Amino acid sequence: MVILLGNGYFVEIDSLNYALKQKYTGRDKQGEEKEYEKMHGYFSNLDSAIERYLKLNQNDLMADCSIRMNQYLELVKVANEQAVKAVKAVVEVQK
């Protein structure tokens, strides 16, 4: 089973663990665009995988920016809300 999250992140679930991965587009040695998959970790439960996703997603959304603390907190809130919506959508489908 695969749970699709935001920004290319997804969780692959098997009988042993929850693997948090991310698909992204990069360039190969010849300079051609290619889709890659990055492993962000193996987790014993879905909660831990989602917590890691939240941190990574926050970092992605706020990379290379200089903002005030209240703006930062608002961006964190939005990123977390998006992540929660993605997970809830999957849970609703499973019911």
Side-chain angles (χ1 to χ4, degrees):
M1 171 189 261
V2 175
I3 300 173
L4 300 176
L5 303 169
N7 295 331
Y9 290 95
F10 61 99
V11 176
E12 281 185 351
I13 303 171
D14 62 29
S15 61
L16 299 175
N17 58 50
Y18 298 81
L20 177 61
K21 299 180 178 181
Q22 181 183 24
K23 286 187 181 182
Y24 66 96
T25 303
R27 297 205 178 269
D28 62 14
K29 292 180 181 181
Q30 291 75 31
E32 297 179 25
E33 276 194 3
K34 184 176 178 183
E35 189 171 273
Y36 293 96
E37 201 172 273
K38 181 176 183 178
M39 170 60 72
H40 287 286
Y42 294 99
F43 302 88
S44 60
N45 58 59
L46 184 57
D47 289 351
S48 297
I50 297 301
E51 284 177 25
R52 180 71 177 141
Y53 161 68
L54 289 173
K55 291 177 184 175
L56 291 168
N57 193 46
Q58 289 168 9
N59 290 341
D60 290 348
L61 294 175
M62 293 177 270
D64 301 325
C65 68
S66 177
I67 57 176
R68 296 184 180 276
M69 180 58 82
N70 60 342
Q71 292 170 315
Y72 169 78
L73 294 174
E74 185 61 30
L75 287 173
V76 168
K77 179 182 172 187
V78 169
N80 289 349
E81 287 173 354
Q82 290 173 349
V84 169
K85 285 180 186 177
V87 173
K88 282 184 178 180
V90 171
V91 171
E92 288 300 317
V93 169
Q94 297 298 316
K95 287 184 178 180

